[in-house]
Amino acid sequence: MKIVFMGTPQAAVPSVQRLVSDGHDVVAVYTQPDRPSGRGNKIAFSPVKEFAIANRFPIFQPTKIKTGEALDIFKSHAADVAIVVAYGRILPETYLRAFSNGAVNVHFSLLPKYRGAAPVNWAIVNGETETGVTTMQMDAGLDTGPILLQRAIAIDGNETAIDLTSRLSFAGADLLSDTLKRLNEIEPNQQADDIATFAPIMKRDDGLIDWRLSATEISNRVRGFQPFPSTFTYLQETKLTVWRAFPVDGNGAEKKMPGEVIGARGDEFFVVCGGGSILKIEEIQPEGKRRMPVRDFLNGIKIQAGTILGT
């Protein structure tokens, strides 16, 4: 098939790789415009653009897509279908009707659960034990189009959103391959809007730890809010980003304050959470410094039992 591929982050690369290995003709690659990145604000190419350059695909990075000129260029590719994987923009309906097979999206959830920009993150934050990938015939709504194929995947209790996104990206590539092979025989299924859930764009303030939550809920946020917005608290005026933490069994903390440190020595850094639950922090990053194991952090600063973390 002649395909226009639209994607931006690393999670989209396995899908375009699979299109190539399956023998499809990728006639154009659309990705987000280049943006400054890092301390030096150097211009960085998206992972999808890097792949397209390496494979000499025509690259398009329109800053505006809702113009007649942009639409004409898009239609000129005369593809059979557009494949969209984390492109980063909502496509106008004119784009979705441009090709004979419309536009097919690979979405990293089991729709209609977790429609929106951050399905992997919110699935972990909300304590889900299962997620998956969906191929969908796109319509004008936000992830509301008819479902083509789905595949469920268990969420490991220790993996971060970064880890899970990587696994889902390869599962999504496999599902996309199956979808295109059977595209003319698959009967699309309408989504049940009444059971839909949403995964909105995350805000920086979402990462601030509320120690009144249970240790399990906070641990889920630590895993789910990676790489952004990360999960953080404060030791007096110093921001501490928590990169690895898990709930542990413990007794006698019910009368302690949420956010109270009850142990800080060696590899052990224990903090009381809601309901007297206890969180063990294993990896942390003081503001302006590198990520480090708790032992390294505690070697450089003495924290007394009874210290309260938070703003």
Side-chain angles (χ1 to χ4, degrees):
M1 299 178 74
K2 290 179 65 177
I3 290 173
V4 169
F5 184 82
M6 311 181 80
T8 299
Q10 180 60 40
V13 173
S15 287
V16 67
Q17 287 176 322
R18 187 59 179 268
L19 294 176
V20 174
S21 65
D22 283 352
H24 294 289
D25 182 12
V26 179
V27 296
V29 170
Y30 278 68
T31 191
Q32 287 290 305
D34 303 332
R35 291 185 172 88
S37 178
R39 292 184 178 180
N41 279 332
K42 294 181 180 179
I43 296 298
F45 294 166
S46 75
V48 166
K49 181 176 180 178
E50 295 278 10
F51 179 85
I53 291 172
N55 288 271
R56 299 183 179 180
F57 294 137
I59 300 167
F60 297 84
Q61 298 176 273
T63 55
K64 296 181 180 180
I65 60 174
K66 295 181 180 180
T67 68
E69 180 183 5
L71 178 60
D72 288 343
I73 293 172
F74 187 75
K75 288 181 176 179
S76 73
H77 302 309
D80 297 307
V81 65
I83 301 299
V84 183
V85 188
Y87 176 48
R89 287 182 176 173
I90 297 177
L91 298 178
E93 195 165 0
T94 48
Y95 279 67
L96 305 182
R97 298 196 307 262
F99 306 136
S100 58
N101 290 293
V104 172
N105 174 236
V106 178
H107 187 76
F108 298 146
S109 81
L110 295 175
L111 291 171
K113 296 190 72 173
Y114 296 106
R115 295 173 176 173
V120 180
N121 305 85
W122 289 109
I124 292 176
V125 169
N126 291 337
E128 302 283 0
T129 58
E130 182 182 74
T131 185
V133 287
T134 300
T135 51
M136 170 189 66
Q137 191 76 51
M138 296 179 70
D139 64 12
L142 179 62
D143 301 324
T144 57
I147 292 168
L148 299 173
L149 296 178
Q150 290 188 311
R151 184 169 299 162
I153 291 177
I155 300 176
D156 185 278
N158 295 325
E159 67 185 332
T160 66
I162 297 171
D163 301 328
L164 182 56
T165 298
S166 178
R167 286 208 296 132
L168 291 173
S169 70
F170 289 97
D174 289 343
L175 193 68
L176 174 62
S177 178
D178 292 345
T179 299
L180 293 181
K181 289 174 184 175
R182 301 167 48 195
L183 191 57
N184 293 328
E185 62 187 66
I186 295 171
E187 187 68 34
N189 292 313
Q190 295 296 324
Q191 294 188 41
D193 293 338
D194 57 327
I195 61 171
T197 62
F198 296 91
I201 293 174
M202 296 164 294
K203 306 181 296 295
R204 188 170 298 277
D205 287 348
D206 288 330
L208 179 62
I209 296 175
D210 180 353
W211 292 104
R212 295 170 296 182
L213 297 175
S214 72
T216 296
E217 290 172 310
I218 294 173
S219 172
N220 290 343
R221 287 170 177 261
V222 170
R223 295 188 298 115
F225 286 151
Q226 295 191 31
F228 178 86
S230 70
T231 309
F232 57 92
T233 189
Y234 289 88
L235 174 62
Q236 297 176 352
E237 300 300 319
T238 301
K239 181 180 177 182
L240 301 176
T241 301
V242 179
W243 291 105
R244 184 176 174 87
F246 299 98
V248 295
D249 294 331
N251 297 312
E254 293 82 0
K255 296 182 180 180
K256 302 287 186 180
M257 286 187 60
E260 183 173 343
V261 176
I262 58 172
R265 178 179 296 178
D267 294 319
E268 298 184 344
F269 189 8
F270 298 110
V271 185
V272 177
C273 306
S277 57
I278 299 173
L279 186 75
K280 182 182 181 183
I281 299 175
E282 296 188 348
E283 186 177 3
I284 201 164
Q285 183 176 15
E287 190 169 15
K289 298 184 179 181
R290 62 176 177 84
R291 290 170 58 165
M292 62 186 71
V294 154
R295 174 177 287 275
D296 293 352
F297 171 66
L298 294 177
N299 282 341
I301 185 172
K302 301 301 180 185
I303 300 178
Q304 301 297 324
T307 299
I308 306 296
L309 301 180
T311 54

